[in-house]
Each structure stands twice: as C-alpha cells, then as structure tokens.
Amino acid sequence: EIVMTQSPATLSVSPGERATLSCRASQSLGSNLAWYQQRPGQAPRLLIYGASTRAKRVPDRFTGSGSGTEFTLTISSLLSEDFAVYYCQQYNDWPHTLGQGTKVDLK
Amino acid sequence: QVQLVQSGAEVKKPGASVRISCEAFVYTFPAYYIHWVRQAPGQGLEWVGWINPDTGDTQYVQKFQGRVTMTTAKSINTAYMELRNLKSDDSATYYCGRGVQGFGDLWGQGTLVTVSS
C-alpha cells in the first residue's frame, strides 16, 4: 500500500498570505494525485487532479505541482474561506490512499 | 443541479448491518464509478471501495473484504453500501463520491453511522 505523508500537520497563516502544503508518496505516482479541501462539517471538495489540473470552479489561487513522489499545493493569497483541512490522495495504485491532512488555520 | 444525496444518519448495535444509499441527480449515472470513503470523528479520510454502476464490478479495500457489499440500482440512479458485523470503530461519516479515473469529483453530504450498544 502506498503511504502518503503530508506536512506540516498544521499551518498557521494570516489572510492574504501564501500557504504551501506538501505531500510525499512512498512510491512514484507519476501524476496520479488529487487534492481535496474539507471545511468543518462538510464533504470533501476536489481541488486538483492529475497533480496540477484545477477542478471546475476552483479559483486560480490554488495551484498544484509536482510529480513522482513529491507534490505541493500552493494557495497564493488566503481568503477566510480557505481555512480548512487539505488532503492529498493517490490513485496510481489500489488501494487508493490519502494523507493524514494539513489543517490551515488562522494565525 | 448535479449532486449526490445520501440517506440519513443511522444508529446501530455492534454486530448489526447498515445500508447507506446514494442517489445521483442530473448526470448519466452509469457513466461514472461511485467511490465510498469514511471518516471517523476527528480523523482523516479512508477509502472503502468503488463500484462501476454500468457493469457492477467492485473493488474493496482489503480490511473491509467480507464485510462490505456495494451495489447499484441503475433504474433509480442509486448506489448502496452495506457494511455488516459492525464494530464500534466503524462509527464514522460515510461519503459516496462520483468517480473520475480514481478520484472523486463530486461528493454526497455524508451519512453518520453510530455503532453503540
């Protein structure tokens, strides 16, 4: 099973600042990686797939990058609605696995 | 509006079974897989498995093999997940998601399952 490791566990950021979230895979994924946002009490929301393709209606302040085993989600200028937990998920191999999440909270 | 709508919260005793439904609206139901994931309280997301509504093919995460069954009813655009022999650590919110390749691009609102004696 591919292990996904996200860092940091918590990221404290001020509105308007940039946030950089990391995700590492225990094996190469190519570009078969997705990012989700989950706000409290809500379902996951797809942000990025194919490591760098934004899903429909996702603002361009969200950028995914990376390939192989190292991936990054960058939020260029945080808005209040971006404070949430972010998960990376690999779909290169079964079972699909997710990281433990990075919580982006208010500094 | 394109959406997945799940059935309501359930409270079950240990050893019982639960069946959760997931109804699809305003898209071609057989064209997309349905993935199921779960989230224990305060924890991260965990994949349970997927079903191809067109063929009925399924794949389950090994830890759930033998306890989970995923089915669909194409005539009513609905997917189901049954989990049997429930344990307290099965208490979680279960989400269905519309599958594109291996990720979910649209998710249901979640169904809270509480297992308690």
Side-chain angles (χ1 to χ4, degrees):
Chain A
E1 171 173 313
I2 296 176
V3 177
M4 305 299 292
T5 303
Q6 292 186 242
S7 60
T10 304
L11 187 60
S12 297
V13 186
S14 298
E17 287 187 340
R18 180 186 193 92
T20 302
L21 289 66
S22 295
C23 175
R24 174 177 292 177
S26 60
Q27 302 173 34
S28 180
L29 308 179
S31 295
N32 294 320
L33 183 105
W35 288 94
Y36 301 92
Q37 176 193 67
Q38 189 178 34
R39 297 181 179 126
Q42 295 189 16
R45 171 196 178 199
L46 178 69
L47 296 176
I48 301 285
Y49 62 93
S52 61
T53 302
R54 269 183 227 99
K56 288 180 184 175
R57 292 180 294 279
V58 172
D60 61 7
R61 64 180 181 274
F62 292 92
T63 301
S65 62
S67 66
T69 62
E70 300 282 344
F71 300 87
T72 301
L73 175 69
T74 303
I75 312 171
S76 60
S77 179
L78 262 97
L79 302 181
S80 57
E81 66 218 46
D82 300 334
F83 292 100
V85 180
Y86 294 82
Y87 295 93
C88 60
Q89 177 235 328
Q90 69 80 18
Y91 51 96
N92 192 64
D93 198 13
W94 186 257
H96 300 326
T97 47
L98 298 108
Q100 78 282 17
T102 291
K103 182 178 181 180
V104 177
D105 68 11
L106 186 60
K107 191 174 184 180
Chain B
Q1 172 182 351
V2 179
Q3 60 180 334
L4 294 168
V5 178
Q6 298 182 225
S7 49
E10 303 265 10
V11 179
K12 297 291 182 181
K13 294 193 183 306
S17 299
V18 68
R19 189 174 84 151
I20 302 167
S21 68
C22 170
E23 185 174 0
F25 291 87
V26 196
Y27 75 86
T28 305
F29 181 63
Y32 298 84
Y33 285 25
I34 293 289
H35 291 271
W36 291 90
V37 304
R38 74 178 188 179
Q39 186 171 39
Q43 302 301 309
L45 298 163
E46 177 181 31
W47 227 269
V48 178
W50 58 259
I51 182 166
N52 178 341
D54 190 39
T55 64
D57 290 342
T58 57
Q59 190 163 27
Y60 307 137
V61 174
Q62 188 168 11
K63 71 180 280 188
F64 300 105
Q65 292 268 10
R67 288 206 301 139
V68 69
T69 302
M70 295 176 186
T71 56
T72 60
K74 284 195 284 187
S75 62
I76 55 171
N77 295 337
T78 300
Y80 302 93
M81 186 193 72
E82 181 186 41
L83 190 61
R84 299 178 293 279
N85 191 20
L86 290 166
K87 309 173 179 51
S88 57
D89 62 4
D90 290 319
S91 294
T93 298
Y94 290 75
Y95 295 100
C96 62
R98 187 176 76 168
V100 178
Q101 300 175 37
F103 56 88
D105 73 336
L106 172 72
W107 294 89
Q109 84 277 19
T111 297
L112 177 63
V113 175
T114 303
V115 183
S116 174
S117 54

